[in-house]
Amino acid sequence: MKVAIAGGGNIGTQFAVHFAEKGHDVYIHTSKPEKFAKKLTIVDHNDNIIHQAEIKKATSSDEEAFQDADLIFVTVPSFAMKNTAKQIVPYLKKGAMVGIIPGNGGGELAFKDALTKGAVIFGLQRVPSVARLVKYGEVVCATGYRPKLYVAALPKENTERIRKIISDNFDMACGALPDYLNLTLTPSNPILHTTRLYTLFKDYVPGKTYKQVPLFYQEWSDETTELLFKCDAEVQKLCRVLKDFDLSDVKSLKIHYENDTVEGFTHKIQTIEGFQGLATPTVKVGNEFAPDLKSRYFTADFNYGLNIFIQVAKMYGVEMPNCQKVIDWYNGIKDPSFGEFDFADYGTESKDEFEEFYKK
């Protein structure tokens, strides 16, 4: 197959290696093609090479990357989805498969026009592992590969075919989700990151700085876990109201992390191997720190994560007071230069319009 990867960052590089290793012609679409080596490498946390393969080409040309592509992985940030869709959709052939990685953040609606061209939209519930670039365009470190991935597609009859492609090319088990909304409402970063940022910076006002800031995961707090549990419960309540969809795979984070006590959950987050040493997104101000409002933890996980949950809840008349408290705090400090997801931008302003799209 011709496989195109939109985005040459952590996830894009990882996916490129896996699919090139299986013999596919892989094109990476990037604004910096000159920085890419022909051979890309995945290493583990000890710098051991675990996967390595040659890509066909890195290019900044939309036509060269996406024309006649059989499979396209979109790995750009959520706020870039709309513009990326404008680059990709004109070149889509009938039957092309467009994967949004990961599948939350509203990317499926950004690619709504792909469906009218006879293409398929799909997404993964979570990425295969934690991935961090070691050297841009050459090496990515991947740790903590999951035992199983989960995929959903629109139209949904394509899910099984794509499930097999993912499983075969990653050599991993992959399950089929019953409805795409299991991706849209996955309570991962949209509440994991946002509740942590709220508890760290709830007293922040422009101009305020901090002498030191805890590590994001390794110094996770019980206060964050308590708030996360409340938001997690609100997401589960929303899922129960969406009775016309099978949302059985929108698992509570208590189930995902196998801990239902505050102390146990906090300890689990603090000790996950792939989370070790990860800093809280900040910028230096003299010798002190301020939250980095341009970080994806803010611009993606609030604007294109928690914000989506709250919009769906409003369509269905579901109150989410703790999620609302967190988003209200963010709205008071956010960088206005970044956009945010709005269902109305895609002609989806009512329950009927919402259900018409997601029942495809």
Side-chain angles (χ1 to χ4, degrees), residues 48-348:
N48 299 311
I49 294 174
I50 54 176
H51 298 281
Q52 193 172 57
E54 288 191 5
I55 61 171
K56 193 77 172 178
K57 191 174 185 181
T59 178
S60 58
S61 165
D62 301 348
E63 182 176 8
E64 189 172 29
F66 306 124
Q67 183 78 51
D68 295 322
D70 301 291
L71 177 62
I72 300 170
F73 289 107
V74 184
T75 67
V76 301
S78 297
F79 60 78
M81 283 287 174
K82 185 182 288 188
N83 286 336
T84 302
K86 290 177 182 177
Q87 292 176 292
I88 293 174
V89 170
Y91 297 102
L92 288 177
K93 66 180 182 180
K94 186 176 182 179
M97 299 167 281
V98 180
I100 299 157
I101 314 298
N104 57 359
E108 65 275 20
L109 280 159
F111 280 89
K112 189 176 183 180
D113 290 343
L115 296 175
T116 65
K117 296 193 71 171
V120 177
I121 301 170
F122 72 93
L124 291 180
Q125 192 171 44
R126 288 178 171 84
V127 293
S129 73
V130 175
R132 295 286 180 268
L133 285 174
V134 177
K135 186 176 181 181
Y136 184 84
E138 292 189 34
V139 183
V140 65
C141 176
T143 57
Y145 273 89
R146 301 182 188 282
K148 190 173 185 179
L149 298 172
Y150 291 89
V151 67
L154 292 168
K156 67 169 62 179
E157 62 262 24
N158 296 280
T159 299
E160 175 57 29
R161 175 168 60 102
I162 294 169
R163 182 206 65 76
K164 188 174 188 309
I165 290 171
I166 296 296
S167 180
D168 289 349
N169 284 277
F170 278 98
D171 293 320
M172 295 172 68
C174 185
L177 298 173
D179 281 302
Y180 196 97
L181 275 178
N182 286 278
L183 306 181
T184 307
L185 298 177
T186 295
S188 184
N189 293 349
I191 63 172
L192 191 74
H193 287 174
T194 58
T195 55
R196 178 61 167 156
L197 291 168
Y198 174 85
T199 54
L200 284 169
F201 298 120
K202 62 186 175 184
D203 63 344
Y204 175 74
V205 292
K208 180 179 176 62
T209 57
Y210 301 81
K211 290 184 178 179
Q212 59 183 27
V213 178
L215 292 170
F216 197 79
Y217 296 108
Q218 208 168 335
E219 297 178 274
W220 190 272
S221 68
D222 285 345
E223 180 189 7
T224 301
T225 298
E226 289 170 356
L227 178 58
L228 184 148
F229 278 6
K230 292 175 182 177
C231 291
D232 186 62
E234 290 173 0
V235 174
Q236 293 301 311
K237 179 175 71 172
L238 174 61
C239 289
R240 289 193 293 272
V241 171
L242 295 168
K243 296 178 181 178
D244 290 336
F245 298 93
D246 181 348
L247 300 180
S248 55
D249 284 281
V250 182
K251 303 292 187 186
S252 164
L253 291 184
K254 293 179 181 180
I255 295 173
H256 181 72
Y257 288 105
E258 300 176 325
N259 272 280
D260 60 3
T261 67
V262 170
E263 297 79 8
F265 190 96
T266 296
H267 178 71
K268 180 66 176 280
I269 295 295
Q270 290 174 342
T271 55
I272 291 173
E273 180 185 352
F275 289 172
Q276 299 304 293
L278 295 182
T280 295
T282 57
V283 292
K284 282 292 283 291
V285 181
N287 293 321
E288 297 192 349
F289 303 90
D292 181 5
L293 299 179
K294 297 183 185 298
S295 161
R296 285 195 199 184
Y297 283 39
F298 286 100
T299 61
D301 298 327
F302 283 98
N303 299 16
Y304 294 85
L306 188 59
N307 180 37
I308 290 177
F309 295 179
I310 289 172
Q311 287 186 41
V312 175
K314 287 180 178 177
M315 285 184 201
Y316 284 82
V318 177
E319 293 188 0
M320 302 178 77
N322 290 284
C323 290
Q324 189 68 54
K325 176 179 71 173
V326 174
I327 201 80
D328 286 346
W329 163 78
Y330 172 68
N331 286 337
I333 64 167
K334 68 182 180 183
D335 184 333
S337 65
F338 288 90
E340 62 182 20
F341 182 87
D342 189 343
F343 278 101
D345 290 344
Y346 305 101
T348 308

